Amino acid sequence: MRERTVLELSSLPTFGSGPRSPTWWGTLAFIALEGTGFVLAAATYLYLAYIAPGWPLSAAPPNHWPGTIVTILLVASLVPNHILSGYAKKCEMRPVRIGMLVMTAFGLAPLIVRGFEFPALNIYWDTNAYGSMLWVLLGLHTLHLLTDVGDTIVLAVLMFTHHGNSGRRFADVEDNIFYWYFVVLTWLPLYFLIYWLPRF
Amino acid sequence: MSSADLAPKPEGILDTELDAESLRRRLAETWKTRSGLVGFLSSVDHKVIARRYLITALIFLCLGGLSAVAMRVQLSGPERGLIGPDLYNQLFTMHGVTMMFLFAVPIMQAVGLYLVPLMVGTRNIAFPRLSAFSYWVYLSGGVFVWVSFFLNMGPDIGWFAYVPLSGPEFAPGKRADVWAQMITYTEVSSLAVAVATIVTVLKQRAPGMSLDRIPLFVWAILVTSFVIVFAMPSVMIASSFLILDRLVGTHIFNPAEGGDALIFQHLFWFFGHPEVYIIFLPATGMVSAIVPTFARRPIFGYLALVLSLIAVGILSFGLWVHHMFATGLPKLGASFFTASSMLIAIPNGIQIFCWLATLWSGGPLRLKTPLLFVFGFFFIFVAGGLTGVMLASVPLDLQVHDTYFVVAHFHYVLIGGAVFPLLGATYYWFPKLTGRMMSERLGRWHFWLAFIGFNAAFFPMHIVGLWGMPRRVYTYPVELGWGGINLFITAGALLFFLSFVLFVINLARSARSGEAAGENPWDAGTLEWAVSSPPPNYNFARIPVVAHSEPLWAERGSMPVAAGLRVDAREVLISTVAEAKPDLREKSARPSIWPFFSALSVGGTFLGSIFTPWAVVWGALPIAVSLIGWFWPKGAPEDEE
């Protein structure tokens, strides 16, 4: 077949951020499917709470303080996350490096406090269905927290190597920021379900 | 430092600097899959991965088919002692899980994986390493469940594995765990392909391929991928909860400790009903590709067809409870789901009428094998749809629940609605994959054998179901008088199986010595027919520019193209979501063995978790290492921007 050139592409940029980048859409798709998982797990919890004669089932409500500290840390992390996003968009290396270190710290801190959350639930996973669901919800979120912190650490290291000097890496940083919003925002309803629903 | 300060990157060699011959040579070099074992395990070419998926899915179809034949032989007469109840339970479970999870869904996604990048005019799928990873996970899941079966550890709890039957109390041993982890493998792989497909369709379309110029097959795969994204997490949640109940002693499905068994059914069918459409929608896309080509006109009612696809995708999430009418739901809930189950017949009906209108108003019909299978689809699927409307009615459903009437219904819908179009699609696109035509003569024999065999096997099941024969029984007493009709059904099933033997012979013979096909043997209008058969590893030497929904019909003999991409690095064109305006030149990942290692470590972790929950902890290390290996830049131009 004869080809006829009607369009010139060589002047197009070689990376883009936000919705211009395919990776952003890929991250969004993963957020959608993981978000569906969260919604269905939460729905199961509510379903079991609805059919139960009382909630919590034969246990004292959890001690909310470790969870509340995690919540405060996660919400506070949105500020540096947002600032980092601005620097990543402008491909500014030094502030991005610092920002990645800050976000690593903001990822590790709630993970450490999370270690105190499980005992504060006041029930084990194998005691009854209420205990099972608390552990499942907290576990599901911890898995997300762990993977994102792992990703943040690897990316932070990468930004300190010569590979960081690439527009594509800054787009990666932005995707990491995007996913962190998801990790924080999914926690807020879970925090309510785990710590406050058993008190009503 | 700011963006302006980023070290300048070498521009590389652009296609504008090369003549046609050297352009093709350079691109072939850049996009090639290396030979040798490492090359084999590292391939990220969507065509190579899709071919592997197709062949693997066909092998699973064969295994699923053989398990059906074994069951039919056992049921061919009353009180036969060929297969005992335990093996029979494993066989119908293996048949169900194989056909649904290892054949139907993967093969539909694989056809999409092969064709979508070609149809939208790009060089590779988005996230090619993710697609490679998905194949290895799928393969290990399939091998895992079949090896378990041969070790007498095959699941025996039905393809939907209801609790409490599948729970720790009533299913000791590892069989139910095998079911639960098989779900995890296959759903992870399916979700990965769905994400890659969505992003390819949204962001990698050729310039000018606005939303109203996307081929209907691509629309169908896009909607299917969205349905996968929102449906599959549900079955993963269900199977994960099940395995937690079984292995670490949670009580989510245990009513004695505040859990509930019915929530399992809700979670399963919230996935399970959309699953039917995950299989059916790509098939409708295949019909929408075949019909215009053989009717010699653009499809009638493009917009109506797109909207129907989307409507079916959305409505498919509102029907799940009709699988649970026999569980004693509140009356109002049952009525709602009756109404929604009937509602979905409307967009499906619109599709059928649009295809008929296209065939009616086109040029003289070319009645080739692909179209024969489409006619078979019309006949069988409409019959299945009608019994579907019957089953949506609660009183009738309660009468025939768990009888062969239901077995007949869903085989009419699934085989008629998905397998017949898939067979038609095989005859239609085989020339593109292999460069050779399939035999028409064998194709016609195949069609008539399949059509007669299918109806002979499944139509009488309606009758025996209405007589009261329950499904999932390994035998029945002589006095019930079901022997004659069951013998007839078995004869039909063997005929149907024989049609597939003929199909495989046709595939093998045509691949070796079929007539040469050329670029566009059917004179079709969509972009996959613009490239040679089989397509070169880079798909398009220059990216096509699209101004029509059937670009090859709009301008014959010549094609408007875009120039200015690199040839010494894998570069694809990224366009805007709605209008497909050129936006970026992005790099596409090079081959890598790390997706294979990642799949190994993920698969090993799933396997180990059946035996000890600590496997998840120990597995985390190899998973982390292989993922870092996957994403860490290796200094290739594709790793930079």
Side-chain angles (χ1 to χ4, degrees), chain B residues 391-405:
Chain B
L391 285 169
S393 154
V394 178
L396 191 130
D397 183 84
L398 286 177
Q399 289 302 313
V400 296
H401 184 78
D402 264 350
T403 70
Y404 264 85
F405 188 87

Side-chain angles (χ1 to χ4, degrees), chain B residues 537-565:
Chain B
N537 54 16
Y538 50 86
N539 289 356
F540 296 90
R542 288 199 168 85
I543 304 302
V545 176
V546 175
H548 193 274
S549 55
E550 276 88 12
L552 304 193
W553 287 351
E555 202 170 334
R556 288 180 180 274
S558 108
M559 190 164 73
V561 295
L565 293 183

Side-chain angles (χ1 to χ4, degrees), chain B residues 465-541:
Chain B
L466 289 173
W467 288 351
M469 180 168 169
R471 59 195 287 208
R472 297 177 168 170
V473 287
Y474 79 105
T475 193
Y476 48 88
V478 183
E479 300 78 48
L480 288 170
W482 297 339
I485 198 166
N486 270 299
L487 184 62
F488 185 84
I489 290 172
T490 301
L494 290 174
L495 204 62
F496 191 46
F497 187 79
L498 192 65
S499 79
F500 278 91
V501 174
L502 205 61
F503 174 57
V504 172
I505 292 172
N506 197 356
L507 282 175
R509 273 181 47 172
S510 307
R512 207 177 52 242
S513 55
E515 189 191 328
E519 271 178 18
N520 192 359
W522 310 112
D523 190 25
T526 39
L527 283 178
E528 78 274 25
W529 302 103
V531 297
S532 61
S533 312
N537 54 16
Y538 50 86
N539 289 356
F540 296 90

Side-chain angles (χ1 to χ4, degrees), chain B residues 426-446:
Chain B
T426 310
Y427 283 87
Y428 183 62
W429 279 301
F430 182 86
K432 182 49 63 189
L433 269 79
T434 61
R436 294 184 184 278
M437 305 296 288
M438 286 182 78
S439 156
E440 267 300 300
R441 199 168 60 87
L442 279 180
R444 283 166 194 277
W445 272 98
H446 172 204

